[in-house]
């Protein structure tokens, strides 16, 4: 059963007089809109975007294309309003949004979420302690980054970082980027306006996203960090934790290891004592290394060929000397049968602390690949 824990926070920042960000954070729909246009126009555009989405997508969407069409229709609505009212002329808004896919009759079909994006507001995913940006910015500096003319850190402080190349309400037609993402237990999504990422360094965002705090507390801490780093723009953050209940398996813990007591007799030679200490340290170090190399599980391809299958391994990726990870279970899903986004998912190597979690992940992954094959 899928349950979501949700947190949201917004703030005008340290310099702006009003908050032109709008957002929605409810069970089936999450979105951040960053308005633009001056005076009250930006605030109007972002509010229109959120209210429109709430009216048509709150209970979920049927497909990525259906969600993209909702956003295109939203663009037409804002564009019409902007061209019919003098005080709203030129208004627009960015939008990053996530909507749950409507459940199907297939009980093996995992829950999925559709991401839609226009502009430079962002959607991130923290999975297996790795934070990655799902959306792609439509901005001047992103084009420079793509061409290799700017680094990501340079783009964050570039004087033209606020110039967007795509937004809702600016033109009669708009192109909408979408991604369909399977949801796994422990996933943490984050949607935000550029008021967060333009202020807070990436490593600091990652550190806060990895905290075992509630989504609400994490969202508030991220907003506070943006204000502490300058707060030159409005800041909005939504954090969503995914919890998928699965049947629990009994996991037998490794027995405690006792090193035993020292010999009672006293050794007469200090050299012999030193030698024994060195041997003991080496043995303990070897034991710890062996125990580490045989702990944990991960999901990866069986080899680098196009026909490689996905497998669950026990141990650590790469191994150490003669200690190599061993295959626990092999899937029938092959590399050449999956889309590139799923191939990249496995190439990143997914780690788990129990075989039950690894099996649950692989079962859902196989179902998603088949559904999108």
């Amino acid at each position: 059963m899928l349950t979501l824990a949700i947190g949201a926070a917004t703030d005008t920042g340290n310099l702006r007089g009003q908050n032109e960000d709008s957002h929605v954070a409810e069970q089936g729909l999450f979105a951040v809109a960053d308005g633009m246009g001056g005076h009250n126009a930006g605030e109007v555009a972002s509010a229109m975007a959120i209210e429109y989405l709430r009216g048509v997508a709150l209970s979920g969407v049927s497909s990525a294309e259906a969600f993209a069409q909702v956003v295109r229709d939203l663009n037409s609505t804002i564009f019409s309003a902007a061209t019919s009212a003098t005080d709203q002329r030129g208004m627009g808004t960015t939008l990053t949004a996530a909507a749950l896919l409507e459940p199907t009759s297939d009980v093996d079909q995992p829950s999925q979420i559709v991401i839609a994006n226009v502009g430079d507001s962002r959607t991130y995913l923290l999975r297996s302690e790795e934070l990655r940006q799902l959306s792609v910015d439509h901005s001047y500096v992103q084009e420079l980054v793509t061409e290799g003319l700017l680094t990501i850190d340079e783009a964050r402080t570039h004087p033209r970082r606020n110039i967007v190349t795509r937004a809702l309400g600016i033109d009669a037609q708009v192109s909408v980027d979408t991604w369909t993402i399977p949801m796994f237990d422990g996933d943490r999504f984050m949607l935000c306006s550029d008021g967060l990422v333009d202020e807070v360094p990436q490593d600091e965002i990652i550190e806060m996203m990895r905290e075992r705090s509630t989504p609400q507390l994490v969202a508030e801490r991220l907003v506070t960090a943006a204000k502490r780093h300058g707060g030159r723009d409005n800041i909005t953050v939504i954090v969503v934790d995914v919890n998928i209940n699965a049947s629990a398996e009994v996991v037998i813990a490794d027995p405690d290891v006792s090193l035993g007591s020292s010999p009672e007799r006293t050794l007469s030679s200090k050299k012999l004592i030193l030698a024994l200490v060195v041997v003991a340290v080496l043995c303990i170090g070897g034991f710890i290394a062996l125990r580490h190399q045989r702990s944990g599980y991960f999901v990866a391809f069986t080899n680098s060929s196009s026909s490689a299958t996905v497998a669950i391994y026990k141990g650590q990726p790469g191994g150490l000397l003669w200690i190599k990870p061993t295959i626990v279970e092999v899937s029938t899903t092959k590399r050449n049968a999956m889309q590139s986004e799923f191939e990249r998912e496995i190439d990143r190597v997914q780690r788990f602390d129990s075989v039950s979690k690894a099996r649950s992940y692989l079962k859902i992954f196989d179902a998603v690949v088949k559904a999108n094959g």
Side-chain angles (χ1 to χ4, degrees), residues 68-233:
Q69 187 58 52
V70 167
V71 178
R72 288 191 290 266
D73 292 343
L74 167 59
N75 176 73
S76 299
T77 300
I78 298 175
F79 181 76
S80 297
T83 54
S84 61
T86 304
D87 60 341
Q88 295 176 357
R89 194 172 303 277
M91 75 175 181
T93 184
T94 69
L95 178 72
T96 191
L100 295 183
L101 270 182
E102 296 172 351
T104 66
S105 57
D106 184 358
V107 295
D108 291 327
Q109 177 69 32
S111 298
Q112 299 181 75
I113 196 166
V114 178
I115 311 298
N117 191 74
V118 177
D120 63 351
S121 295
R122 295 180 179 179
T123 296
Y124 288 86
L125 169 62
L126 181 74
R127 176 177 291 170
S128 299
E129 298 299 302
E130 177 188 355
L131 184 71
R132 55 188 172 119
Q133 183 180 337
L134 298 178
S135 58
V136 178
D137 292 355
H138 304 132
S139 66
Y140 173 73
V141 293
Q142 179 60 48
E143 292 179 358
L144 295 180
V145 170
T146 302
E147 293 173 6
L149 301 177
L150 278 182
T151 66
I152 293 177
D153 285 339
E154 290 171 340
R156 191 171 59 84
T157 57
H158 194 278
R160 296 185 179 179
R161 64 187 178 278
N162 293 324
I163 298 177
V164 296
T165 56
R166 199 186 302 178
L168 298 179
I170 304 303
D171 297 307
Q173 304 291 330
V174 71
S175 178
V176 182
D177 293 344
T178 61
W179 301 264
T180 301
I181 308 296
M183 292 186 294
F184 298 107
D185 187 55
D187 281 352
R188 170 171 279 181
F189 290 88
M190 190 261 282
L191 292 77
C192 65
S193 59
D194 63 345
L196 173 70
V197 296
D198 284 351
E199 300 288 10
V200 185
Q202 179 84 349
D203 57 352
E204 192 171 331
I205 293 176
I206 293 173
E207 182 180 350
M208 283 184 279
M209 283 289 287
R210 286 175 173 171
E211 291 179 0
R212 302 304 180 193
S213 304
T214 65
Q216 183 61 42
L217 183 57
V218 173
E220 291 172 358
R221 282 176 49 77
L222 286 166
V223 169
T224 300
K227 295 184 68 177
R228 186 175 65 250
H229 281 280
R232 291 165 292 181
D233 200 354

Side-chain angles (χ1 to χ4, degrees), residues 23 27 60 76 135-136 153 186 251 258 265:
H23 70 279
Q27 281 296 325
S76 299
S135 58
V136 178
D153 285 339
V251 179
S258 175
R265 63 184 182 180

Side-chain angles (χ1 to χ4, degrees), residues 2 7 11 15 33 66 74 98 102-103 110 113 130 134 154 215 233 243 267 297 308 344 356 359:
L2 171 69
D11 196 279
L15 301 180
L74 167 59
E102 296 172 351
I113 196 166
E130 177 188 355
L134 298 178
E154 290 171 340
D233 200 354
N243 179 34
L267 298 175
Y297 298 83
R344 290 193 296 271
S356 61
R359 283 172 174 157

Side-chain angles (χ1 to χ4, degrees), residues 6-28:
I6 306 164
T10 188
D11 196 279
T12 57
N14 298 332
L15 301 180
R16 299 295 179 91
Q18 63 184 16
N19 195 342
E20 294 189 337
D21 287 357
S22 296
H23 70 279
V24 57
E26 302 182 27
Q27 281 296 325

